[in-house]
Structure formats: structure tokens, C-alpha cells
Amino acid sequence: MATLLYRLGRFAYDRRGLVLALWLVVIAAVGGSAAAFHGTMTNNFQIPGTETQRVLDKLKADLPAAAGGNASIVFEAQDGSFTDAQKDAVGGALERIGDLEDVQAVVDPFDRQDQLDGASDRIAAGKQEIAANEARLAAGESKLAAAKAELDANRDRLDAGQAQLDAQKQALAAQGLPEAAVAQATAAAQAQIDAGRAQLEAGQARYDAGRKEADEGAAKLADGKADLALGEREAQSAEGLRFVSDDGHAAIASIQFTKSTDALPVALREEIQSLAGSVPGVEAHASKELTQDISSIFGAAEAIGVTVAALVLIVMLGTLVAAGLPLLMALAGVAVGVGGTFALTSMVQMSSVTPMLGLMLGLAVGIDYSLFIVNRHRNQLLHGMDPRESVALATGTSGNAVVFAGMTVVIALAALVVPGLPFLAVMGLSAAATVTVAVLVAITLLPAVLGFAGRRIISRRRWAEAARQNTAENARAGHEEEEERADIAASNRGWGAWVTRHPWVSVAASVVLLGALAVPAASLRLALPDGGSEPVESSAYQAYSATGTYFGQGMTGPIVVVGELPAGLDEAAAKAKQLDIADELRDVPGVVAAVPSALSEDRRTAVFQVIPTDGPASASTVQAVHDLRAKGAQIREDTGATIGLTGQTAANVDISAKLADALPPYLAIVVGLSLLLLMLVFRSLLVPLLATGGFLLSLGAAFGAIVAVYQWGWLGPVFDVTHPGAVLSFLPILLIGILFGLAMDYQVFITSGMRESYVHGQEAHLAVRTGFHHAARVITAAAIIMVSVFAGFIFSHLTMVRPLGFGLALGVLLDAFVVRMTLVPAVMRLLGRGAWWLPAWLERLLPDLDIEGAQLERTTAGPRHRVEGEPEALAR
């Protein structure tokens, strides 16, 4: 590998115009692709196969109108309660918002609150009306009964009279009277009976009409009672739910869209906020779904971090040209890596953290990798080496270490596909691609640009000093031995010397410090961020805070429950079934309200909005989600309906649980990989164990500090943590992968020098000191640069990135200065020669990777050129 990189560096130097042109073409092509094909990013994280996703897919198929995104706007009256004019103005603004494209429905809080507030009055009035109707119906029933009794008595009298008259007719006929005479003799009596019959029939008709009216009234009364009972149950299900605060100072309006909120155009978001904010005397706070801006990934805080890195480079390298090269290379790598990521957003769904992660890593490793090569090249030039040879040798030696270091980061990031979480796999692969580009830039573009830079990477004063020193050394016999003695003398001073003189103290202090910092990690709780994690001055935070203050924390993250009802229900039965389910949902601890919100046309799919007691990231809400799912079996037994949970709150719980389950196996993979790679590099058993143990210590300390700051709120004002809560659910697994790769970078750069000194014959404890002395300056600068870049993201406009930037900055700081530059040399000093022990059989099996390119340096280093004035070799 070293030889191949040596030749690649020489080729890039000789064909620097071609190499530069090719990279410019690549950057232009990627930039054009990003501009032409970039799509929409999202902050809604989904995991295929989870209950949340299955229920959401079913909801999209059965009830598409209820599957779109939701947002809210909180209105606050500046002078106490809302006036009627302000209520009308808010209602008008919401009506105009409802007419916008992609808006499915808008809830006017004042109308909805009037409905809720009037429900008890309507129910009371309904009960009174029903009671009055029941009284009227009872009175009518009494009258009907009396009328029926009278009709029956009249009928009986007429029947008796008719029977008596018929008997009289038979008697007259028996006396021999003609039929006409009989009829004439009984005509008056028969006419009286017939008249009575006619009156009876008229009375029966009146009775039948009254009976029909009474039956219809009873049916209406029964329907009224049923409707009243449903209305009363609906009112009970909405108890605790408000859209206008009790003091009348705030109102919350909900907006439902036809698509995901992440897919909404920026112009629509801005128009909604503009319309909502147009009411005089009323402040409007739009929720996070409307205000989050994931279109940009670089802000002022990140620029400050890069500026600090530039200052460190200037101090270390001495010239603007030399300091600018690592920055320029890092920007080139980021342009290609992050630009390529943006170009894929139209085809691959990815979160806003994905390009941000690529930017963060691309800047950090891009600057550091280029710094290692530039520093090596600069030192070689100062010792008189030909520029062409120096660029090639620096690429073959330091570039070889850069390739290995980059490989560890890439492997760790690519391993993020192992947990099987699509959004995490996309993050890992895109970040790995950006790091790969940074490595390619360092070993191809950097050598070419170094050819253009020539001697300008070294200041005139430093050139003059080098010229005098080289002239004196070349005139003095045995100066190599003198240089070695001076090198050993220098290594006996400074931090490395102190650590190796007091190894037990150094080990104990390092372990105690890192262990103390790691203690809070035992309380780590995972969740996805909510509006409470936004900056205090942001509209999203104001909306979240006002919602929690006026309407309860649960309103900031409702839980969506989808029920599958039995087939064959009519409208009334389906409505009653919904309320039966809502009653059982409301019985779950931690649930304030459970309200039916939608029903499909076939009355098979019902949607419920469940309001928990606390916010979406709280432990009680997580438990409520679990309890609601556990309640499903009882609901199925009692109602015949099956339920499932979806929505962002439930999805957050599922994702956090899935990530927590994936954390141990991923950590095992990373630790196993660490042991294997370091065994290959250093041909030792104890050094890999030491490196891995140090990585776990720095990782635990980083986790502990994150919990203390972002979950417990320690130093919250310093880091702008206004609402401490659960830690970002995918932060631990990202931190493990990234910090592992970066920790192995520093392990390679500091331990390889120790190994090379030991292999060249130095006594083991002296090799630790000299190796430390050779690497300390550049590792210190590299660590400060990386910490500065990561620290710039602690105050990023994307709050989701902030704890990750903090964890990486602190993790690198602790790993570089406490683990690699204190713990490792101290333990290496205590181990002595044993640190490099390797069984003979294993040594024969392991290939010699020669990461530092020591063999290449011995076989390719040619005669040195004196650095006098302006050597012709450097003027080229």
C-alpha cells in the first residue's frame, strides 16, 4: 500500500494540472447534480415492520384524509383575553389558510371550544326536553287509555243493543209478521245503533291517529335519548381537552395537510405563518412542523468552529498558504461528499441529520488528514528533501496512515447498516462516502496542490533557520548521532516525559476522571426531539411552551390510535362502538382524553386522538404507549375491535426501543473490529486491548456528559439547553461508530511512532517517550482542530445535531488528551517490552501492513538537498 501511494503521490505531483482539473470537473458535476436533483429531507423517522408503520400504511389505504401531516398554531392575546373582533380575525385567517393548496382541514379553536363548552348546556337542555316529552307522552298515554276504555265500553253497549234488537227481530218474525213489518217496527232502534256505530268508528279513527302519533313520539323520544346518550359520552371522552385556555388568553388551532409536513413547500409554510401572524394584538406561534428549516446545513456557529481550526493551522504551520491547504482540501471533500448526498435526496429518503453528519465529519477528518500529510511534507522540505520526492514520500508514509485511519472510520460508519434501520443506514453510508472522499482528496488532490504551492507553505524566517541548521549539520561529522541524542533529550521533557515518569499516577487520574464523567450514563434515556429542544427564541419553542402551559403537555404530542371495527355496523352502532373504545382508552393510566376523530365510509376504520398527561418524550408517555398497546387485547374481547398505534409519538417510542436494542450488538461489532484492526497494525495483543479499553472509557465519559447536560440540564444555560429531556435516540449508536473511528486514528498516529522507535532498537520505555514526542505536536493540533469543528455544531440551528456535536467534541477531547496522550503512554511504560508481545504462530499469520511506511522510507529516501536560500528544486 505504501509503495502504491508513493507512486500515486508522485503521479499527482507530476500531473498536477490534470489532477486539479479532474477534481474541479468532479466538484462541478456533483454541485450541478445537487442543484438539479436534490429533493426534500425529512425529520420523521420510520422503521419498516414496526406496528407504527404497519398501522400508518393501513390508515393511508383505508382513510387517506387522516394520514396527512399535522401542525398547530398557538394564538396569544397580548392584552388579556381575546376580543370578539380578534376571534373573528383569527377565524378569518384560519379560513384563508384552509383554502390553501395542500391544506386538508383547519380547526377553528373558538368554534370548537364553543362546541365543547356548549355540550353540557345542550345535554342539560336535551334532558329537560326529553323529560318534558316523556311527561307529555305519559299524559297522552293516559288520555289514549281513557279513550280506548270508552271506545271499548261503547262498543260493548252497541254490541249488546244490537244483540237485543236482533232477538226482538227474531221474536217478531216468529209471531208471523212479514219481514218488512219487522224492519219497520225495529227501524228506529236500528238507526240509533247504526248512529252509535258511526260515532264509534269516528272515535276509533281518532284513537288510531292518537296512537300513531304517540308511537311516533315514543320512537322519536327513544332516538333522542340515544342521541343524548351518545352526546353525553362524546362530551365525557373530550373531558380535559381544550382549544381555548381557561383564562381565555390563548387558543390553539390545528392544521391537517394532504401530505407529510416535511414535503410541504417553504412558500406554503411561510404563507401560513404570515396569515396566522396578521391579526392585530395577537401573537401567533407556529409549531415545529411549520417552522423547522432543514434546507440549509451550515450556519454561524459552524463557521466559528472552522475559524478556530484555521487559527490553529496558522499557528502550527506558520503561513496562510500552508494553513489554507487543509481547509481547502476539507472543503473540496465536503463539496463532493455532501453535494453527492444532496443529489440523492430525490431518490432516497433521508433526514436532515444525514448531510449535517457528512459535513461535520468531512470538515473534521478532511482538515486532519491533510494536516498530517502537509506537516510531514513540510518537515521533509525543511530537512532538505527534494519537493517531488517529499510529496511522494509524505503520501506513501503519512498518506498510508491516513488511508488506514480513514478506513477505520468508514468501516465503523458503514457498519451502521447492521442494526437494520433504514434511516440510520443512509446516515452511515453517506457519512462513510464523505470520509472516503476526504481520504481520496488527501492522497490525490493534496499532492497536486502541494506541487503548485512549492516553498510557499514555509515562511521565509523558517526557511532561513532551516538553511542555517542544515548547513551546520552537513559541515559536522556524526550529526545524525547528535540529532538522535538531541531528539532523546527533547523527548525527556514535556508532558510525555512526565506521564512516563509517573505512570501509576497518570493511569489512576485518567481512569478516575473518565469513570466519574461516565457515571450519569447509567441514567441514559432515549427519545426523539420535540419542540421543547428548540431554541428559546424560536417560534417552535414558544408554541411548545405555550401549548404545555395553557393546554397541558400532552397536547404537544398526541397519540394516534387506529381501530378496526367489526363489519356490518350501521352509523349509530359504529358511533357507539367508537365511544366504547374511547372509554377503554381513557381508562389507561397517563391518558387525559381519548376522542374519536375520523371514521371511514365503510365504517370499518376509526381514528382516535389520545392525549397523554405529559409530553411526547417523557417517560410517562412512553409507558402510556406500552399500556395502550397492552389494552388492545381487552378492547378486542370487549368490543370485537382491534387497535393499533401510529403517529410521531408512537413512532418515536418504537424507534428509540429499536435503537436501544441495536446498541449492544453494534458496540460488540465495533469493539471486535477494533481489536482485529489494531492487531494487524501493531502486531501486538496488548496494544489493541489497551486501545479498545481506552475507547470504551472515553465513550462512557462522553455518554455521561451528554446525559448530564442534555438530560439532566447541568450547565444548560452554557450550552443553550432550555428544556432538558431524553437524549436523541440514534445519538449513542452514531457516537459509537464515529468516535471509534476517530479514536483509532489517534491511536495509530501516536502508537505507530512508539512502535517504529522500538523496532529500530530503542529500549521499550524510551521508545514510548520518543514516539510520543514525535507525534504529540501534530496530534495536539489535529485534536484541537477536530474538537473546534465539532464544537461549532453544539449551537447549530438544527437542534437535533447539537448533542451529537457536543458528544463528539468532548469525546475527541477526552480520547486524544486523556486516553491517547496520557493513559496509553503510561500503560505502555508499565508494560515495557510486553506491550509488543505476539505469539510466534500469530505473527506468521498476520500480514505486515507497515502503516507508517517505514520500509518505504528506508528504501526510497534519497540524498537530501541543502536548504540554502531558494533551492532550485523548490523554485519549480
Side-chain angles (χ1 to χ4, degrees):
M1 176 65 77
T3 302
L4 176 62
L5 291 174
Y6 172 85
R7 293 173 180 170
L8 180 61
R10 176 172 286 183
F11 172 85
Y13 183 93
D14 292 339
R15 302 287 189 274
R16 48 187 175 270
L18 174 63
V19 173
L20 178 61
L22 290 175
W23 272 107
L24 290 175
V25 170
V26 170
I27 291 173
V30 171
S33 299
F37 304 117
H38 75 277
T40 302
M41 292 179 289
T42 179
N43 277 334
N44 288 328
F45 304 96
Q46 300 173 352
I47 303 179
T50 60
E51 177 189 330
T52 302
Q53 191 60 44
R54 290 196 302 271
V55 174
L56 180 61
D57 293 340
K58 175 178 173 55
L59 187 59
K60 288 180 179 179
D62 297 346
L63 196 57
N70 289 275
S72 62
I73 300 176
V74 180
F75 297 93
E76 280 190 278
Q78 296 177 354
D79 299 322
S81 301
F82 290 94
T83 65
D84 292 338
Q86 288 173 335
K87 291 180 181 180
D88 293 340
V90 169
L94 292 174
E95 186 176 350
R96 291 192 293 275
I97 291 174
D99 293 335
L100 297 176
E101 187 177 0
D102 295 328
V103 175
Q104 177 83 19
V106 176
V107 174
D108 185 320
F110 300 108
D111 288 346
R112 182 60 60 88
Q113 191 63 53
D114 287 342
Q115 293 175 7
L116 292 177
D117 292 342
S120 58
D121 293 338
R122 289 194 300 274
I123 290 171
K127 287 182 177 180
Q128 291 178 356
E129 184 177 354
I130 286 176
N133 289 336
E134 285 180 332
R136 285 194 295 271
L137 185 63
E141 286 290 342
S142 298
K143 292 180 179 179
L144 286 172
K148 187 174 187 306
E150 184 179 355
L151 286 173
D152 292 342
N154 291 334
R155 183 177 294 107
D156 291 342
R157 285 196 303 272
L158 289 174
D159 290 342
Q162 184 68 52
Q164 184 178 2
L165 183 63
D166 290 342
Q168 184 180 359
K169 286 181 178 181
Q170 291 177 358
L172 291 175
Q175 294 175 7
L177 288 177
E179 183 176 348
V182 171
Q184 183 177 4
T186 60
Q190 185 65 53
Q192 186 176 0
I193 291 175
D194 290 343
R197 293 280 187 194
Q199 290 178 355
L200 180 65
E201 288 178 2
Q204 185 66 48
R206 289 193 297 272
Y207 172 82
D208 290 342
R211 179 76 272 168
K212 180 180 180 182
E213 184 179 355
D215 290 343
E216 290 177 349
K220 289 180 181 179
L221 182 62
D223 291 342
K225 283 184 176 181
D227 291 341
L228 184 63
L230 288 175
E232 192 168 9
R233 295 181 65 189
E234 286 178 347
Q236 291 173 350
S237 70
E239 286 179 359
L241 184 65
R242 293 195 62 84
F243 293 87
V244 179
S245 63
D246 290 326
D247 60 5
H249 185 63
I252 183 170
S254 63
I255 305 173
Q256 185 175 8
F257 300 96
T258 58
K259 59 180 69 172
S260 166
T261 54
D262 292 316
L264 299 176
V266 175
L268 175 61
R269 297 169 184 265
E270 292 176 347
E271 188 171 3
I272 290 175
Q273 294 179 66
S274 175
L275 288 171
S278 63
V279 180
V282 175
E283 292 184 7
H285 308 299
S287 65
K288 181 180 178 182
E289 294 80 9
L290 284 172
T291 61
Q292 62 182 354
D293 181 12
I294 54 180
S295 60
S296 63
I297 62 173
F298 200 79
E302 293 86 345
I304 293 174
V306 175
T307 302
V308 174
L311 293 175
V312 174
L313 288 170
I314 293 172
V315 171
M316 179 182 179
L317 300 177
T319 68
L320 291 175
V321 173
L325 285 179
L327 286 173
L328 184 62
M329 296 302 102
L331 292 175
V334 165
V336 175
V338 178
T341 300
F342 265 114
L344 294 174
T345 53
S346 60
M347 296 180 289
V348 179
Q349 185 180 24
M350 62 180 68
S351 75
S352 61
V353 179
T354 302
M356 200 69 161
L357 182 62
L359 174 67
M360 188 187 303
L361 284 176
L363 286 174
V365 302
I367 294 174
D368 272 10
Y369 292 168
S370 297
L371 171 62
F372 290 129
I373 295 175
V374 169
N375 185 64
R376 182 70 174 250
H377 171 58
R378 183 173 176 274
N379 289 336
Q380 289 170 170
L381 290 181
L382 289 173
H383 282 85
M385 187 175 290
D386 176 77
R388 180 171 180 265
E389 180 68 15
S390 177
V391 168
L393 187 60
T395 306
T397 52
S398 293
N400 195 24
V402 163
V403 169
F404 173 79
M407 189 185 305
T408 62
V409 180
V410 168
I411 292 174
L413 290 170
L416 289 173
V417 303
V418 173
L421 310 177
F423 75 90
L424 192 63
V426 172
M427 284 186 198
L429 292 176
S430 63
T434 302
V435 173
T436 301
V437 172
V439 172
L440 292 176
V441 167
I443 62 177
T444 57
L445 180 58
L446 179 60
V449 176
L450 286 173
F452 286 112
R455 65 165 290 173
R456 289 186 293 276
I457 64 170
I458 301 174
S459 65
R460 292 182 180 274
R461 182 183 61 81
R462 190 68 184 89
W463 268 117
E465 291 177 2
R468 289 194 300 272
Q469 185 177 353
N470 288 337
T471 300
E473 288 176 353
N474 292 333
R476 202 167 53 242
H479 63 86
E480 289 85 359
E481 291 78 6
E482 185 178 338
E483 285 182 2
E484 185 174 354
R485 287 193 298 272
D487 187 42
I488 293 174
S491 67
N492 287 325
R493 298 187 298 270
W495 180 250
W498 190 94
V499 167
T500 53
R501 287 195 192 101
H502 308 88
W504 286 111
V505 174
S506 301
V507 171
S510 300
V511 172
V512 169
L513 172 63
L514 296 174
L517 288 173
V519 169
S523 302
L524 178 66
R525 189 164 57 84
L526 303 178
L528 288 177
D530 52 32
S533 61
E534 297 295 310
V536 176
E537 66 278 2
S538 67
S539 174
Y541 180 84
Q542 297 296 329
Y544 179 90
S545 177
T547 300
T549 300
Y550 293 111
F551 307 102
Q553 292 294 331
M555 284 288 285
T556 62
I559 302 169
V560 178
V561 176
V562 179
E564 184 174 356
L565 306 184
L569 298 177
D570 59 21
E571 186 175 353
K575 194 172 184 179
K577 189 71 70 175
Q578 280 184 285
L579 292 170
D580 291 340
I581 297 172
D583 289 343
E584 301 218 28
L585 293 175
R586 198 168 56 257
D587 288 339
V588 173
V591 171
V592 174
V595 185
S597 59
L599 182 67
S600 62
E601 290 185 5
D602 62 0
R603 295 184 288 277
R604 292 297 309 278
T605 302
V607 182
F608 303 84
Q609 188 178 52
V610 176
I611 309 299
T613 304
D614 297 315
S618 67
S620 65
T621 299
V622 174
Q623 186 60 46
V625 168
H626 295 317
D627 291 344
L628 285 167
R629 285 174 171 159
K631 188 78 170 180
Q634 182 178 344
I635 291 176
R636 182 169 57 253
E637 181 180 349
D638 294 342
T639 67
T642 58
I643 66 166
L645 273 61
T646 188
Q648 198 59 44
T649 299
N652 293 354
V653 173
D654 285 348
I655 292 171
S656 298
K658 187 85 171 178
L659 287 167
D661 293 340
L663 199 58
Y666 180 73
L667 181 59
I669 291 172
V670 169
V671 170
L673 184 63
S674 168
L675 291 171
L676 177 61
L677 289 177
L678 291 177
M679 194 181 300
L680 288 171
V681 172
F682 298 115
R683 307 182 70 77
S684 164
L685 287 179
L686 295 181
V687 170
L689 289 173
L690 173 60
T692 303
F695 159 68
L696 293 176
L697 283 173
S698 58
L699 179 67
F703 278 165
I706 289 172
V707 170
V709 173
Y710 290 92
Q711 186 172 314
W712 293 355
W714 292 6
L715 300 177
V718 175
F719 296 101
D720 195 21
V721 181
T722 55
H723 187 75
V727 174
L728 182 66
S729 55
F730 54 82
L731 183 147
I733 202 166
L734 284 179
L735 192 63
I736 289 173
I738 298 169
L739 192 58
F740 160 71
L742 301 179
M744 295 309 102
D745 284 2
Y746 293 126
Q747 180 70 29
V748 168
F749 287 122
I750 199 165
T751 314
S752 57
M754 300 176 185
R755 180 175 183 273
E756 189 170 352
S757 297
Y758 176 75
V759 169
H760 280 77
Q762 284 190 356
E763 196 273 331
H765 78 275
L766 183 59
V768 173
R769 288 187 182 178
T770 55
F772 183 95
H773 172 68
H774 292 157
R777 184 170 179 267
V778 68
I779 288 180
T780 299
I784 293 174
I785 289 169
M786 193 166 284
V787 169
S788 300
V789 172
F790 288 148
F793 290 85
I794 294 175
F795 301 97
S796 171
H797 66 291
L798 292 179
T799 54
M800 206 181 304
V801 176
R802 294 183 176 187
L804 181 59
F806 174 84
L808 288 175
L810 183 64
V812 169
L813 182 69
L814 295 173
D815 195 85
F817 294 108
V818 179
V819 175
R820 308 305 157 188
M821 298 182 71
T822 303
L823 181 63
V824 167
V827 175
M828 295 282 286
R829 170 67 180 83
L830 292 172
L831 292 174
R833 296 182 62 185
W836 307 108
W837 175 77
L838 187 69
W841 64 269
L842 185 57
E843 187 170 9
R844 287 192 300 270
L845 291 177
L846 295 178
D848 187 359
L849 299 180
D850 188 26
I851 293 300
E852 274 295 326
Q855 297 177 7
L856 174 67
E857 188 173 12
R858 289 193 294 271
T859 58
T860 61
R864 294 179 176 177
H865 296 266
R866 293 185 177 183
V867 185
E868 298 176 354
E870 225 175 277
E872 182 179 342
L874 290 173
R876 291 202 295 266

